[in-house]
Structure formats: structure tokens, C-alpha cells
Amino acid sequence: MSLKRQIVIFLGFLSALLIGATLLSFALSAGRVEGHHRHLAHEMGVTFFKQLVLTRRWNALHNGVYVPVTDLIAPNPYLDDPARDVVTRDGVELTKINPAYMTRLLSDMAADYEGVRFKITSLEPLNPLNAADDWERAALVAFEAGAHEYAGLAEEEGGHETFRFMGALITEKPCLACHERDGYRIGSVRGGIRVSLPYEPFRTAIGAGVMQLRIGHLGFLATVLVLIWGAGWLLWRQAAQVEGLNARTRRLNRELHAKTEVERHLASVVESASDLLVSTDTDGRILSWNRAAARLTGYPADVVMHRGFSELFPETERPEVEMALSRVTVLPGSLSEEWTLSTASGEGLAVSWTIAPMSSEDGTLIGMVAAGRDLTERYRMQSELLRSQKLAALGVMAGGIAHEIRNPLAVCSSAAQFLLDDSLEPELQRECVEKTIAGVGKASEIIENLLRFARPCAVEKMTLVEPLALLKQALSVVSHQAQIARIEVEMQVGDRPLRARGVPSLLEQAFINLLLNAMAAMPAGGRLTIAVDQDGDEVSVQISDTGVGIHAADLLRIFDPFYTRSPIGQGTGLGLSICYSIIEQHRGRIDVQSEVGVGTCFHVRLPLAEPPCSDEA
């Protein structure tokens, strides 16, 4: 495609983009103008409503006001008050104006002078003139559901468009003088006051504002288009020179591409990298060994060059490494594993490896590239974090475990006191001895579970584990806490045993954190459901509770470190963050679903280590 044609296409695309952006800007600006005036109408409605409420409150505080009876103001036929009508000593007839009647009189006066109308209404009005229309009925239903205001556009009689605002009338103490006999109490909704504003002035203002926007956007668009196509005309004149430059540029690009082929191999073994970078041929023999690899292992490059990559690992891991290398040569994408690399000092170095195939320009496989990251520091920090979380979990379980130990010790104490009686019958003596032995055994079992959980453990290598067995082990640690909290535990397990690759102590810690979190959400007791099953190529673990639930605003931050809604001193904010880190380290997923007042479900998914055994021969 010629450069001139490219210029035309570019200018056309740029013009279309500019027109689209201008139209979008106009639409957004027009929307903001209308939104501003809608907001202004809303604020006016709120102001009128507050003034009416203030006037009604003043009237109610004075138990109504008396005014002379005139042609415009007649006695209120719906006011059930023996003192409604009075006559002064001068013979002037007065009638009591209550808040509702005063609202109607003000509405008539405002309609005559300003075009603004008020109306007091309810679902069960005394005055038929106060009966609610469909719009007002919808607002009153919303008030019954807890809303305090309702607003929107509506069409009045005669086809006039108005903006309606309706606020809820809340029963206050002065209102009880008249409405207590109708069953109203302080704080209950008695109805609402609707304020109707003519929307035509707002429509006029909106139209004027949109017209200004239209003129401004059209002027801007015309100016910029003239500038763009003027610049395009200049570019068109210079097309010949640019064509020559393009030809020279293509030649330079070909030369640069030839050099890039050489640099591409060099870039894959960057010597300045802090991670281990190793390249091999298709047979797994080492071709390059960067300085970081030599520093971390103690093997210089000339010692390992042309040796098999798998020879640098312990004999127990070599078959797994060789199998992984063979998979990389036939499968697309990269492979991530954690293997222990042997060092010159004889110690093992935990390394996270990412291995990918290395291909030539035509796609032919020419070797493999392995990038490794030393996990020593991460494991150390992870161990410290686990120890701190265990201390926090032990604090949560301490009260329950103390109570559980106190019960068998009390039984042992009672039985021992009976045994002090020499006249005790042999059968009763045997029963006391048996109860003592049983109580000691129960206390010993509780202490053993506690010690097993609290015992420091180093971060282990991933092995084949059964999540169900780890869940049962975690449940045994917190079962005493569940009994004290009156929490019923239900297990739902599939038919086949499921296995995954993982570190047993880490997964058990994650499950304990989730179980403690679920129990903490049920301070008044409830049901804890644990479901384990297969979901495609994953092991599915669901831990559900019937607790207080989690607000939607908190769900977005629930896995953040140190984020907690627990009172100060009752939570570190690390439990769920640690769970998320552990599950992610195992290439799994964890998500949460919750509804306030119903409960919460944490769903953990771990990759299956291998398909479950089939029952068929």
C-alpha cells in the first residue's frame, strides 16, 4: 500500500475518531446538564418539603392555630375536635387549623402564585381528596419498606410535565395528640407530602445549555478537522520523500532483524539476572549457566557445562525432573515446578522453576530455558508468619480447651474423693477407677491435639495429600471449640478418594484458619458444613456456616493482610490472608460467597494430582 493511500486512510480514521470523541463528549456533557437541573429540581423539592414539615411541626407544637372563618377558610369537616370552632367575646367565629388542613391551604396559595403544588396523602386517608394516585401509592409503599424520600418526573392533569418529590411523614411526639388514637407511635410512617414543581422552566434551561454545548462542539470539531486535513495536504506533498525514507527504513529493519537473532539468544541468559537462568539443548544438556546459578549452587559454569540438567538434583527427584523436561519438548507453554537443587556444599536449595521450550525463527525446537528463583527467604518468612498465626489461633482456642480439660479433671477429682472412703464397695471403686482413667485419657487427647497443632514445623516439600484427611485432622484441633460454641458440624464427602499435591502442614493451617473464621461468625451457635468432592479436574472443598454473614463492601478486602472487622485484641487480620497465600502457592483458588444474616461459604479449589481410581477393571 502506497504512502499516499496510508495518509488518506489515517486521516479518515483520525477524523472518524475525532467525530466519535466529539459526539461522546457532547452526549456526556448534555447528560451532565440534564442531571444538574434534575438535581436542582430535587433540591427545590427537598427545600419545600422541609419548610412544610417545619411549619407543620410548629402547628403541632401549638396544638393547631385558630383563624377567622372566611369565604376562603371554612371549618375542617375532617377534624374530630370538640374545640374545632370557637367564638370570641367580640363575636368573631374562629376555626382550628391543624397541620394537614394548613398543608392543603398552603398548597392552594402556592399554586395560585408560583405554580408549585403540595399534597398530603396516605394509604388510608381520612379526606378523600388526599387519596393517593399510582405514583404516590408507589412512594408510600417505598416508605413502608424503609425509604424516606421518593422523586421523579410525572405528568399532571392537562399534560403538564412536573417534577415530583415526596417525603415521608414520620410520627413525632406532638403528633400523638391527634393520631395516637389511630394506632400511630413515635417513628411510624403516617403518610407523605408530595411537592410538584413545573418542569417546563427546567426543560427550557436544559435546552439552552444543550444548544450552547452543540455550538461549542461543532465549532471545535470544524476547527480541528480543518487543521487535520490541512496537515494531511502538507504530508501528501512530502509523500515522495517519505517513500524514499520508508525504503531506507525497511532496509535498516532487515539488518536490525538479522542482528536481533543473535541478541535474542544472549537476552535469554542475561548475566545480570538475580535468578538462576539455564539453557539446555533438546536432550537436556546444559548450554549456558549464568552467574546467579554459579553463586547460589557453588558450581562454576565450566563444571556443569554439557552435563545433564537432571544430574544437579537429588536422585529421588531426578525421574520427576526428566519427565518434566520431556513434557516441555512436546507440550505448548511453560511448566512450573518446585525442586531441590543440589549445591557444591552438599546442602539442598529449594528453587521454584519455570521451564519453557526455546524455538528458532521457523518454529523448530532447539532447546529449553529454565528460570529458577531461590525460595529460602520466602520459606523463612512463611514459617514466621505461620508461627504467629498459630499463636493467634491458640489464643482463640484457649478458652474452649481449658473448659474441655476442666470437665474430665472434675470427674477425676470426684472419683478420687470417693476412693478415699475405705468403706466403698468394690464395684463402685472399680467404676471410680475407670472414670479416672477415662478422664485422664480425654485430657491427654485434648493436650496431644493442641501440642500437635502448636508444634513448630518447617516448610515441607509438596507431596501427594488427601484434602479430606487434612480437613478431619484440622477439625479435631478445633472440635472442642465447636462443642462449647454449640456448633453442629456436618461432613459431606464424595464417593471416591481425592488427592492433590501440596504441603500438608500448610494446607492444614489454611483449613484451621477457615474453620476458626466460620466458628467466630456464629457466636450464638449454628451449623458448620464441610463438603469435599471432585469438580472437573479440581478438588472442591466448601466450608459453609450459618453465621452473621459479610457485608458486600467487605468482601472486596476480606483477603487483604491485617484487614479485620473483629474488635481490637480478638483478631490479627492475617488468617484469611494466609489462607489466600497458601492456596495460591498450591496453584489453587479460593473465593467467598456471603449474605448478611444467612451465612458465608468459602470455596477452595485445588488441582487434582491424578484422576481418581476407577471402579472398573
Side-chain angles (χ1 to χ4, degrees):
M1 184 183 297
S2 67
L3 181 59
K4 294 180 180 180
R5 185 176 179 83
Q6 292 179 19
I7 292 175
V8 173
I9 293 175
F10 172 75
L11 292 177
F13 172 76
L14 189 60
S15 299
L17 184 63
L18 177 63
I19 293 172
T22 303
L23 291 175
L24 178 61
S25 174
F26 173 75
L28 294 176
S29 299
R32 284 194 295 269
V33 169
E34 183 167 2
H36 169 74
H37 285 84
R38 182 76 66 88
H39 177 72
L40 181 61
H42 180 272
E43 291 301 313
M44 290 179 64
V46 172
T47 301
F48 277 117
F49 173 76
K50 289 182 177 180
Q51 289 178 345
L52 285 173
V53 170
L54 186 61
T55 304
R56 290 170 56 86
R57 185 178 294 127
W58 180 88
N59 186 301
L61 286 172
H62 292 81
N63 196 22
V65 295
Y66 285 94
V67 300
V69 177
T70 65
D71 294 338
L72 298 177
I73 301 177
N76 184 2
Y78 301 100
L79 178 59
D80 184 13
D81 188 346
R84 184 192 69 180
D85 301 316
V86 297
V87 179
T88 67
R89 296 176 181 178
D90 299 331
V92 179
E93 295 182 7
L94 301 179
T95 185
K96 180 182 284 189
I97 304 296
N98 66 341
Y101 194 31
M102 185 171 62
T103 301
R104 175 169 293 279
L105 294 175
L106 290 174
S107 173
D108 295 339
M109 182 180 297
D112 292 338
Y113 290 98
E114 302 292 342
V116 180
R117 301 194 66 88
F118 313 134
K119 179 182 177 181
I120 181 171
T121 184
S122 67
L123 294 175
E124 298 178 0
L126 295 176
N127 187 348
L129 295 177
N130 294 337
D133 59 22
D134 292 341
W135 188 93
E136 294 164 346
R137 189 172 295 104
L140 292 170
V141 172
F143 295 161
E144 294 291 339
H148 293 285
E149 64 177 44
Y150 194 85
L153 295 177
E155 186 173 321
E156 300 287 351
E157 296 181 2
H160 299 293
E161 186 180 25
T162 62
F163 181 86
R164 285 186 172 187
F165 174 86
M166 188 165 174
L169 279 179
I170 307 301
T171 302
E172 300 178 353
K173 186 175 181 180
C175 305
L176 297 179
C178 294
H179 295 284
E180 186 173 18
R181 59 176 175 268
D182 297 326
Y184 291 106
R185 298 291 182 267
I186 294 177
S188 60
V189 177
R190 293 189 289 108
I193 295 179
R194 187 208 72 202
V195 179
S196 296
L197 303 173
Y199 203 64
E200 182 61 28
F202 295 98
R203 285 291 184 199
T204 303
I206 291 172
V210 171
M211 178 59 68
Q212 292 179 358
L213 288 173
R214 185 179 292 113
I215 295 173
H217 280 76
L218 287 176
F220 169 80
L221 180 61
T223 302
V224 177
L225 286 177
V226 169
L227 292 176
I228 288 176
W229 286 96
W233 179 73
L234 294 176
L235 289 174
W236 183 277
R237 295 182 59 184
Q238 301 296 326
Q241 296 180 11
V242 175
E243 289 284 358
L245 291 175
N246 285 341
R248 289 193 294 272
T249 301
R250 285 193 293 270
R251 177 173 55 81
L252 292 174
N253 283 338
R254 286 193 295 270
E255 296 174 358
L256 181 62
H257 181 72
K259 295 179 180 179
T260 303
E261 286 296 318
V262 178
E263 295 173 354
R264 186 173 299 169
H265 180 72
L266 297 177
S268 64
V269 285
V270 178
E271 289 296 327
S272 61
S274 60
D275 292 339
L276 296 88
L277 291 175
V278 183
S279 64
T280 70
D281 60 15
T282 55
D283 295 327
R285 291 187 293 269
I286 297 175
L287 298 179
S288 63
W289 182 263
N290 73 337
R291 283 196 296 267
R295 174 175 53 82
L296 292 173
T297 62
Y299 292 122
D302 56 352
V303 174
V304 298
M305 202 64 66
H306 302 297
R307 288 179 56 184
F309 182 64
S310 61
E311 296 178 15
L312 301 177
F313 297 89
E315 293 184 1
T316 56
E317 293 189 8
R318 288 179 186 176
E320 183 179 351
V321 176
E322 293 172 353
M323 182 179 298
L325 293 178
S326 64
R327 288 170 55 195
V328 170
T329 59
V330 296
L331 295 177
S334 60
L335 179 69
S336 297
E337 292 290 347
E338 290 185 11
W339 295 319
T340 302
L341 185 65
S342 299
T343 63
S345 63
E347 298 179 354
L349 181 68
V351 179
S352 174
W353 293 97
T354 299
I355 305 175
M358 183 168 56
S359 304
S360 62
E361 186 177 1
D362 59 1
T364 303
L365 181 68
I366 59 175
M368 289 167 283
V369 177
R373 174 157 295 181
D374 183 7
L375 299 178
T376 303
E377 182 63 18
R378 191 180 81 177
Y379 281 174
R380 183 188 65 80
M381 296 180 63
Q382 192 174 64
S383 297
E384 293 179 359
L385 189 59
L386 284 175
R387 282 196 295 271
S388 66
Q389 181 59 23
K390 281 190 175 183
L391 291 177
L394 286 173
V396 175
M397 296 185 293
I401 293 175
H403 178 76
E404 287 294 315
I405 293 178
R406 189 180 295 113
N407 287 339
L409 290 181
V411 173
C412 293
S413 176
S414 299
Q417 293 178 24
F418 277 114
L419 290 175
L420 291 176
D421 188 357
D422 296 334
S423 61
L424 197 65
E425 296 181 2
E427 183 178 352
L428 186 55
Q429 287 182 350
R430 181 179 292 104
E431 183 179 354
C432 290
V433 172
E434 292 174 352
K435 287 185 177 295
T436 301
I437 294 174
V440 171
K442 179 65 174 178
S444 176
E445 178 186 355
I446 295 171
I447 294 174
E448 179 61 28
N449 286 337
L450 180 62
L451 289 176
R452 178 176 53 79
F453 171 70
R455 186 177 297 116
C457 56
V459 177
E460 310 163 17
K461 175 180 170 56
M462 285 193 179
T463 60
L464 286 177
V465 298
E466 289 191 12
L468 178 59
L470 296 176
L471 272 168
K472 291 181 178 179
Q473 196 167 335
L475 187 59
S476 68
V477 175
V478 301
S479 60
H480 311 295
Q481 186 77 6
Q483 292 175 6
I484 293 175
R486 302 188 305 280
I487 295 175
E488 179 183 350
V489 180
E490 178 183 353
M491 295 284 292
Q492 299 176 358
V493 183
D495 299 331
R496 300 179 178 180
L498 303 173
R499 294 193 294 178
R501 286 186 60 83
V503 180
S505 62
L506 294 182
L507 288 176
E508 182 182 358
Q509 175 70 56
F511 291 148
I512 288 176
N513 288 351
L514 291 176
L515 292 173
L516 288 176
N517 188 76
M519 289 190 291
M522 297 183 287
R527 177 185 295 272
L528 176 63
T529 304
I530 304 173
V532 182
D533 206 346
Q534 180 179 348
D535 184 7
D537 57 353
E538 295 177 322
V539 180
S540 171
V541 178
Q542 298 187 52
I543 299 177
S544 308
D545 62 68
T546 58
V548 296
I550 305 170
H551 290 278
D554 295 327
L555 287 177
L556 299 176
R557 302 179 56 194
I558 195 170
F559 294 112
D560 291 351
F562 303 106
Y563 181 75
T564 177
R565 296 302 298 272
S566 300
I568 296 176
Q570 297 186 18
T572 63
L574 291 175
L576 292 179
S577 174
I578 291 176
C579 291
Y580 185 88
S581 175
I582 291 175
I583 299 305
E584 189 177 55
Q585 179 181 339
H586 287 74
R587 300 186 186 90
R589 296 175 292 153
I590 178 172
D591 52 50
V592 57
Q593 295 178 341
S594 183
E595 184 175 350
V596 176
V598 177
T600 303
C601 175
F602 283 90
H603 195 175
V604 176
R605 297 178 178 88
L606 296 171
L608 273 173
E610 58 186 28
C613 299
S614 175
D615 296 336
E616 299 176 0

